[in-house]
Amino acid sequence: MGLEEEIREIEEEIASTPYNKSTEAHIGRLKSKLAEKKEKLEQQDSSGGGGGYAVEKHGDATVALVGFPSVGKSTLLNALTNAESETGSYEFTTLDVNPGMLQYRGANIQMLDVPGLIEGAAAGKGDGQAVLSVVRTADLIVFVLSVFEIDQYQRLSDELYKNKVRVDRSLPRVSIRRKAKDGLSINASVDLDLDEETIKGVLREHGHVNANVTIGEQVDIDRLIDGVMDNRVYVPSAVVVNKADLIEPDYKETVDAQLREYDVDPDDAVFISAVEERGLDALRERIWEELGLIRIYMDKPGRGIDRDEPLILRRGQTVEDACEKLGGDFEERFRFARVSGPSAMHEEQQVGQDHELEDEDVLRILTE
């Protein structure tokens, strides 16, 4: 029996087994086995020499425009950036990944118009695996939906999930430390819904026989498997509803209701018309916020404060991160820094490398 047939059989057994407390451990083992076999199949396919879309990352962050064919991704890319992606009103206009650079608030944000995803992409349909491999490397996923087909959101999310992309979720707080003997020890900081036997069954399916396991949050079977597998990617997202110029004002309520069906707050979705270039300022701002970018103005010796070309960092990054991004020998020669702005207690506060910076701080680095 081949891997694909084994996978189908396991999926059928999971679908036909009612989920309750008595079947929980069995389903956990089945799902673990399924994840392992899918992993083997993916490795088998990739070793066959199948090509992907090799896109070199440039700029301060990378955004993947994800959508079904003909939703207007290419038109949107062209409107936001200096790219010239071919556009058309028919499906599969984009047959390769087209990059463009969005310049906003001093940042260079690489935008990738990937070929239209279709159902079955995670299984390789329509070059799906190659497309999804690009999406996995992005810092932000922008779902581009047609205003007339909001249900595309769920279908796209499902394809990404099948390819180990977890949208708007954090890494599970599951820690596994192997040991030489004494079996599995489960320690949890919360009162888990899963029983210990189910958890141990999942771990054993993934080859963990002797280990100390710490779980720091409530997890279901799928999230536990994610934590054990440790090969998922966790990417934030934004939802864009395109072709908003083609609907009547009273139809907006219908679209809002459809978005809520898929747990998307209509107030969080960005309604645009890529053709008419409407709503693009709101989209640029949303991309900036979701990426968590901040501007640091460098106070350069003898030249003053450079506000034209800020150093772009992420929220939560420090003076040490700034030194690393600047390159050279800043880290080796670093003495201290002076910071003015939102993160400083006073003008030109003297700080060390662990000082956390904020948007529009002014930073001066003093070296030996």
Side-chain angles (χ1 to χ4, degrees):
M1 186 187 297
L3 273 174
E4 291 182 355
E5 191 175 339
E6 290 179 32
I7 287 170
R8 275 195 301 273
E9 284 196 0
I10 296 171
E11 287 175 332
E12 288 170 6
E13 186 173 354
I14 292 172
S16 63
T17 304
Y19 186 90
N20 53 53
K21 208 64 185 172
S22 65
T23 62
E24 187 177 73
H26 177 61
I27 290 175
R29 287 192 294 271
L30 286 174
K31 286 190 170 184
S32 295
K33 196 172 292 184
L34 179 64
E36 288 285 352
K37 295 209 177 281
K38 284 185 173 179
E39 194 78 9
K40 285 181 183 176
L41 181 62
E42 185 178 314
Q43 290 169 358
Q44 182 177 294
D45 290 344
S46 63
S47 65
Y53 295 99
V55 178
E56 189 176 347
K57 295 183 77 169
H58 292 285
D60 299 296
T62 298
V63 176
L65 301 177
V66 171
F68 277 75
S70 301
V71 295
K73 299 189 311 301
S74 297
T75 303
L76 176 58
L77 180 79
N78 295 343
L80 287 174
T81 74
N82 57 358
E84 293 184 0
S85 181
E86 184 183 352
T87 61
S89 59
Y90 47 90
E91 293 192 350
F92 298 106
T93 306
T94 305
L95 298 177
D96 205 347
V97 173
N98 291 301
M101 195 66 74
L102 166 62
Q103 295 177 323
Y104 187 64
R105 293 187 175 180
N108 291 310
I109 302 170
Q110 185 182 43
M111 308 288 293
L112 300 178
D113 166 21
V114 300
L117 278 181
I118 58 177
E119 286 173 286
K125 189 176 179 182
D127 282 337
Q129 281 288 346
V131 172
L132 288 163
S133 68
V134 173
V135 176
R136 285 171 59 87
T137 66
D139 300 300
L140 174 67
I141 293 170
V142 172
F143 290 98
V144 185
L145 311 177
S146 164
V147 73
F148 301 109
E149 296 179 280
I150 299 301
D151 68 311
Q152 292 175 339
Y153 176 78
Q154 188 62 58
R155 292 150 66 193
L156 290 166
S157 298
D158 289 345
E159 289 303 323
L160 292 174
Y161 189 89
K162 290 173 188 174
N163 199 60
K164 305 189 286 290
V165 179
R166 303 297 182 252
V167 176
D168 297 327
R169 305 201 71 177
S170 58
L171 182 72
R173 292 167 60 193
V174 177
S175 171
I176 302 173
R177 193 156 48 87
R178 291 182 181 272
K179 57 186 181 181
K181 57 181 180 178
D182 297 331
L184 294 168
S185 174
I186 311 298
N187 300 292
S189 60
V190 296
D191 188 13
L192 295 173
D193 292 338
L194 293 177
D195 62 48
E196 191 165 301
E197 193 50 46
T198 299
I199 295 169
K200 287 182 176 179
V202 168
L203 289 160
R204 291 189 188 104
E205 283 292 338
H206 291 283
H208 298 288
V209 179
N210 298 297
N212 290 321
V213 181
T214 303
I215 302 175
E217 64 175 81
Q218 190 65 255
V219 292
D220 59 14
I221 289 173
D222 293 323
R223 193 149 168 81
L224 174 63
I225 292 171
D226 282 350
V228 174
M229 293 291 284
D230 195 30
N231 64 352
R232 279 57 170 142
V233 295
Y234 299 84
V235 189
S237 76
V239 174
V240 168
V241 181
N242 192 23
K243 306 181 184 180
D245 56 308
L246 301 180
I247 63 170
E248 297 296 328
D250 57 356
Y251 187 70
K252 172 72 162 52
E253 290 184 14
T254 301
V255 177
D256 288 352
Q258 291 172 340
L259 287 167
R260 290 190 193 96
E261 283 181 31
Y262 301 106
D263 295 324
V264 177
D265 187 338
D267 292 334
D268 288 339
V270 184
F271 286 77
I272 68 164
S273 168
V275 171
E276 296 189 2
E277 299 194 5
R278 285 166 43 190
L280 299 190
D281 286 342
L283 177 55
R284 293 183 186 98
E285 178 64 23
R286 181 65 184 278
I287 289 171
W288 174 270
E289 287 298 320
E290 291 294 341
L291 287 170
L293 299 177
I294 60 173
R295 295 156 291 179
I296 305 301
Y297 302 121
M298 299 304 300
D299 186 351
K300 301 176 179 179
R303 288 179 285 173
I305 301 171
D306 183 357
R307 296 186 184 273
D308 295 326
E309 295 184 13
L311 181 70
I312 303 297
L313 297 177
R314 301 290 181 92
R315 274 195 299 265
Q317 290 195 305
T318 64
V319 172
E320 182 179 8
D321 295 308
C323 289
E324 184 178 337
K325 188 158 186 180
L326 287 167
D329 56 357
F330 276 104
E331 287 182 280
E332 296 172 12
R333 298 172 53 221
F334 181 88
R335 287 172 55 211
F336 60 88
R338 294 197 182 278
V339 178
S340 300
S343 77
M345 297 175 65
H346 53 78
E347 289 294 298
E348 297 203 355
Q349 178 187 352
Q350 182 172 319
V351 299
Q353 290 198 46
D354 61 348
H355 179 81
E356 191 173 305
L357 297 164
E358 294 184 26
D359 189 34
E360 297 198 273
D361 273 345
V362 174
L363 174 65
R364 179 151 52 102
I365 296 174
L366 289 92
T367 57
E368 295 178 346

